[in-house]
Amino acid sequence: MVSGVPITEASQPALRQLVTEVARWLDLPPDTPARLTLEPEIAAGFDARRTRRLSIGLPLLACLNVAEVRALVGHELTLLHRPDARQVIRTLARRSQAVLDEEYEDGRARRRARATRRKLDPLAAEVQHGADGAAITAAGGREPAARAFALAGLVQDEYVTFMVESGVPPYALRLFEAGISDLDDGWRRTLRRGVAESLWDADAAALLATVHPRLAETMTALGAGPLPLAEAARPVPVSPLTVREQRRLVRELRAIDPLKIVRWTTFQDAPASWWRRRAAKYAKSVRADVATLLGREPVDDVETIGVLRSRGRELTALAFGVPVEEVTGDAGPDEPQMWLLEDHLLRRGWRLEHPAVRGVLVAPDGRRVDGYEVLGTGVDPAAVRELLG
């Protein structure tokens, strides 16, 4: 079975037109098959019959503007229509992984990664020179092309977190598979609410510049400032998918056996017990980390939150097993505090305004609480104690 939902003039006119136009600008075949997926990427590939196809992920379309999408489409189409496309795509994937391993691994693994990178560097440099040039042409400049690759990396990292924290709870024992069909809507709501602090910095830019040397100077300049991940102001219009199409994409993303029975639901219609168990699980882990740091159980969650705020670097160092001197950044409102807030309020009959958006809750009487505001800078301990009492 071919994965994804076909992108046609009838089903997705704006997206089909974009792919066709980019192909024509680059003097490539304009009729390359393209399909929508829930993978956080725009990628060239081949189906089971070795037919060239372009996969375009909805998570990226939510975050990139038109020029940035054109950049990634141009880059991948250029790779896809090379005579040696299959080999080239595999080679670039191997080199990108080697670059990451060389940066983050140690000892033998790092030496092996360095050897692999050096072996693949000549071909990768030749291939990326042309593909990056196509991205620049399609986007209309180096800056939107560089932003496209940077944002694509951030989306891949953040979407993993979204799936872990906002998908179907993995800890429930089930005789059948459970599936949330409106994952894309949940992702877009999460973006509107605001995601965690961006991982983009000068080091991330330098690493990406190694993968895209033709954009190295622009990428380095981009790394000098923040790059927030948010819903695109001018995205490519995407026509609504049918419920059947949504479910098909979720099956593919989560690798659910096509023959397995799935009990489908949406975020809002899912059992409230899912979200209570999720909050309890994460809150328990936070309390355990704080107890380890203190050498005793915290008196209550007000003390736990105080430790999270005042000794956040120490907790991070403890979690990753590194000296506290290696941890950068200041402690502040973050997900662990939200988990504690959720755990308390959900057990007291509150509900999440939307389960994909953490920390925003509604009381039985309709009162709304935004955890980031309650636990923000200048927090009043008495107010927190009253809310968690």
Side-chain angles (χ1 to χ4, degrees):
M1 182 179 72
V2 179
S3 62
V5 174
I7 296 172
T8 66
E9 291 183 3
S11 64
Q12 298 291 340
L15 199 50
R16 182 66 252 179
Q17 182 181 4
L18 183 148
V19 174
T20 301
E21 287 180 350
V22 169
R24 285 175 174 158
W25 292 343
L26 300 175
D27 198 24
L28 297 172
D31 56 350
T32 302
R35 305 183 77 86
L36 275 178
T37 74
L38 278 178
E39 296 288 348
E41 62 182 10
I42 293 177
F46 293 81
D47 62 22
R49 297 180 180 180
R50 297 195 173 187
T51 300
R52 291 176 171 85
R53 63 174 173 81
L54 181 70
S55 297
I56 300 179
L58 285 166
L60 270 183
L61 292 179
C63 302
L64 273 61
N65 64 32
V66 173
E68 292 157 356
V69 173
R70 285 174 177 160
L72 298 185
V73 168
H75 183 275
E76 296 303 300
L77 284 178
T78 299
L79 299 178
L80 192 58
H81 287 287
R82 289 177 59 102
D84 56 349
R86 294 173 67 88
Q87 176 190 348
V88 158
I89 291 169
R90 287 195 296 265
T91 297
L92 292 183
R94 286 182 60 201
R95 183 182 181 276
S96 294
Q97 186 60 53
V99 168
L100 292 174
D101 290 344
E102 187 177 4
E103 177 71 16
Y104 297 113
E105 297 291 346
D106 295 310
R108 182 179 299 177
R110 174 177 285 182
R111 292 193 295 272
R112 188 164 52 244
R114 183 180 296 116
T116 298
R117 180 186 60 76
R118 288 174 176 171
K119 177 182 178 181
L120 300 179
D121 273 351
L123 176 60
E126 181 267 320
V127 170
Q128 286 287 27
H129 183 83
D132 286 349
I136 294 167
T137 299
R142 292 177 180 272
E143 197 274 340
R147 281 181 57 87
F149 289 115
L151 287 171
L154 292 178
V155 169
Q156 289 180 344
D157 290 337
E158 191 60 38
Y159 198 70
V160 171
T161 301
F162 165 75
M163 287 298 297
V164 169
E165 294 186 3
S166 298
V168 177
Y171 41 80
L173 297 177
R174 299 184 295 266
L175 298 178
F176 47 82
E177 192 68 47
I180 294 179
S181 59
D182 58 340
L183 281 181
D184 186 57
D185 178 65
W187 168 243
R188 291 172 184 272
R189 288 175 182 270
T190 299
L191 290 172
R192 290 171 204 149
R193 176 62 182 83
V195 299
E197 182 181 359
S198 173
L199 299 176
W200 181 255
D201 56 18
D203 290 338
L207 196 62
L208 200 54
T210 304
V211 178
H212 299 280
R214 192 165 178 179
L215 291 166
E217 184 177 347
T218 308
M219 199 74 73
T220 301
L222 191 62
L227 186 64
L229 194 59
E231 195 170 29
R234 294 181 297 279
V236 179
V238 177
S239 302
L241 300 180
T242 66
V243 172
R244 183 176 181 179
E245 289 172 332
Q246 292 176 22
R247 292 176 177 178
R248 174 177 178 172
L249 294 185
V250 173
R251 272 189 182 270
E252 293 171 357
L253 178 69
R254 297 185 54 221
I256 301 174
D257 189 322
L259 300 180
K260 190 163 189 176
I261 297 174
V262 178
R263 185 182 70 180
W264 292 102
T265 186
T266 64
F267 276 110
Q268 292 286 36
D269 293 336
S273 59
W274 282 11
W275 318 121
R276 288 197 299 269
R277 287 198 299 265
R278 178 182 67 178
K281 175 187 176 183
Y282 284 109
K284 181 179 178 181
S285 70
V286 174
R287 296 180 189 113
D289 288 344
V290 170
T292 300
L293 181 64
L294 295 176
R296 61 171 175 80
E297 293 294 326
V299 174
D300 54 24
D301 280 347
V302 175
E303 181 184 21
T304 303
I305 288 175
V307 174
L308 287 169
R309 296 180 64 85
S310 63
R311 303 180 66 180
R313 292 177 61 210
E314 294 175 73
L315 283 168
T316 301
L318 180 68
F320 288 96
V322 299
V324 68
E325 295 78 14
E326 295 184 10
V327 179
T328 59
D330 298 323
D334 55 12
E335 282 69 24
Q337 296 181 61
M338 298 305 105
W339 299 336
L340 294 169
L341 182 70
E342 283 186 10
D343 182 40
H344 270 273
L345 298 186
L346 291 177
R347 284 190 283 109
R348 289 165 49 194
W350 291 53
R351 64 176 175 83
L352 288 163
E353 188 172 61
H354 191 281
V357 180
R358 307 299 300 270
V360 182
L361 298 105
V362 180
D365 63 5
R367 182 162 59 105
R368 181 180 183 273
V369 164
D370 185 325
Y372 279 94
E373 295 177 359
V374 172
L375 300 169
T377 303
V379 60
D380 179 0
V384 175
R385 185 177 297 278
E386 180 181 358
L387 189 61
L388 300 185

